[in-house]
Amino acid sequence: ENFREVDLSNFNFFLFDVSATSAWSPRQNARLAYEGFITITAKVHRNKPEQPLPELQPFYSVLCWRDFQSSRHVQRALEQIASSTSNYRLIDSPDKQRAWKLLNNYQNLQNGGNWLTADYFAMLQAASADKAINFTLHTIEMHDDSRAAGAGADALPVAGEIGYTIGRVYTSLSGWTGERTRCRVGTVQLVLLGKWLEQKGYAFSSLGHCYSPTMDYKRQLGHRVLPRVDFLDLLASHRAAFDICKGRAACSPNTGECCFSPIEHGESVLASKLIDGQ
């Protein structure tokens, strides 16, 4: 008889009463992302494989471009990139399986596991291939073309990440980096991707969780921590409709200005162009 009132704001993780098959539905999980859920995978039931676990976070790490531009860490990184002998290039890699394997190897080596499993990645790919919904997978790679000069066309990237876009909002899921060097290629990739997203007209970047000390790099990028309700309002302002056709120009619902050019699969950009365009 000791009941107390609760509402949805008291909960973070949501296990929906669905079958094992529908839990992996690409459209359903894309719709959850559209509504602001960040889905990971976890062992929810003993003796059962990992399954998607959607979370409405109490707080979100959000990177707005004004804060990004004013970050001293970002400014210093851009200065170092400009003076470097490296010739960095970002690409939304068409070789998605390679991008996932590089991420998977890194996460298993560094953290003993990878929540972005092969099944989860396949689900993301299937959702992105659905031409009727507003969800696009991105496999970002950073190459150093000065290193690749003698390595041939198959030279491996030096860092990268996997994320997705919904309308004008980019969400970063997980990343990786190659060998640790003074160049800090992981930081370089994050900064250059921020510049690319800004120049292409994305409204902001969602960086997900913000509570772990290991995620201090998000503070260095200039992120803001938004409560759930504020994040959901911001997302709704820039996501556009869920059921749309891919390739249609996306406009800000607030201004109606068609200033957005989405990053396409296989598209690449040189670091020098990103820095010169600032």
Side-chain angles (χ1 to χ4, degrees), residues 12-13 36-41 53-63 115 171-174 205-219 223-226 231:
N12 299 334
F13 294 100
F37 285 84
I38 302 291
T39 300
I40 60 171
T41 59
L53 182 59
E55 179 186 11
L56 273 180
Q57 299 170 191
F59 299 95
Y60 288 76
S61 173
V62 172
L63 188 59
W115 66 264
T171 297
S172 176
L173 289 175
S174 187
S205 177
S206 171
L207 302 178
H209 288 115
C210 52
Y211 353 97
S212 170
T214 63
M215 297 180 179
D216 189 55
Y217 71 90
K218 299 180 182 181
R219 178 192 62 79
H223 83 145
R224 289 191 181 192
V225 177
L226 296 187
F231 172 80

Side-chain angles (χ1 to χ4, degrees), residues 55-73:
E55 179 186 11
L56 273 180
Q57 299 170 191
F59 299 95
Y60 288 76
S61 173
V62 172
L63 188 59
C64 297
W65 306 132
R66 181 179 299 177
D67 302 319
F68 176 70
Q69 292 169 358
S70 62
S71 164
R72 291 184 179 179
H73 287 88

Side-chain angles (χ1 to χ4, degrees), residues 74-113:
V74 170
Q75 293 170 1
R76 190 177 304 120
L78 290 171
E79 291 171 359
Q80 292 173 347
I81 295 168
S83 62
S84 171
T85 57
S86 296
N87 187 17
Y88 294 119
R89 172 174 55 89
L90 290 185
I91 183 171
D92 189 350
S93 176
D95 191 346
K96 299 196 175 302
Q97 286 304 315
R98 180 184 71 178
W100 178 81
K101 287 178 182 178
L102 288 167
L103 170 71
N104 189 56
N105 291 341
Y106 173 84
Q107 292 295 335
N108 278 294
L109 181 64
Q110 296 293 321
N111 302 313

Side-chain angles (χ1 to χ4, degrees), residues 22-243:
S22 58
W24 290 97
S25 163
R27 183 181 177 89
Q28 173 177 289
N29 280 275
R31 183 64 196 230
L32 289 172
Y34 179 83
E35 299 296 343
F37 285 84
I38 302 291
T39 300
I40 60 171
T41 59
K43 272 190 170 293
V44 179
H45 302 290
R46 188 180 300 176
N47 301 323
K48 289 188 177 182
E50 294 175 330
Q51 70 179 69
L53 182 59
E55 179 186 11
L56 273 180
Q57 299 170 191
F59 299 95
Y60 288 76
S61 173
V62 172
L63 188 59
C64 297
W65 306 132
R66 181 179 299 177
D67 302 319
F68 176 70
Q69 292 169 358
S70 62
S71 164
R72 291 184 179 179
H73 287 88
V74 170
Q75 293 170 1
R76 190 177 304 120
L78 290 171
E79 291 171 359
Q80 292 173 347
I81 295 168
S83 62
S84 171
T85 57
S86 296
N87 187 17
Y88 294 119
R89 172 174 55 89
L90 290 185
I91 183 171
D92 189 350
S93 176
D95 191 346
K96 299 196 175 302
Q97 286 304 315
R98 180 184 71 178
W100 178 81
K101 287 178 182 178
L102 288 167
L103 170 71
N104 189 56
N105 291 341
Y106 173 84
Q107 292 295 335
N108 278 294
L109 181 64
Q110 296 293 321
N111 302 313
N114 179 22
W115 66 264
L116 208 162
T117 63
D119 287 339
Y120 185 92
F121 187 62
M123 180 178 67
L124 295 176
Q125 287 183 284
S128 187
D130 186 341
K131 303 299 184 183
I133 63 175
N134 179 3
F135 183 93
T136 303
L137 172 67
H138 298 281
T139 45
I140 303 298
E141 292 179 349
M142 186 178 77
H143 294 254
D144 182 354
D145 290 343
S146 63
R147 286 191 191 183
D154 294 329
L156 291 176
V158 296
E161 70 175 67
I162 292 174
Y164 60 82
T165 51
I166 294 173
R168 295 177 60 208
V169 180
Y170 175 83
T171 297
S172 176
L173 289 175
S174 187
W176 66 276
T177 183
E179 60 182 291
R180 302 283 179 143
T181 67
R182 290 193 309 167
C183 299
R184 300 175 65 193
V185 292
T187 299
V188 172
Q189 182 261 311
L190 288 167
V191 169
L192 289 179
L193 178 57
K195 293 295 297 180
W196 199 14
L197 293 169
E198 179 188 6
Q199 289 185 15
K200 296 290 281 186
Y202 288 90
F204 67 93
S205 177
S206 171
L207 302 178
H209 288 115
C210 52
Y211 353 97
S212 170
T214 63
M215 297 180 179
D216 189 55
Y217 71 90
K218 299 180 182 181
R219 178 192 62 79
Q220 294 177 350
L221 289 173
H223 83 145
R224 289 191 181 192
V225 177
L226 296 187
R228 178 191 295 177
V229 64
D230 294 336
F231 172 80
L232 295 180
D233 285 345
L234 185 63
L235 174 63
S237 298
H238 299 289
R239 66 187 178 187
F242 180 69
D243 293 296

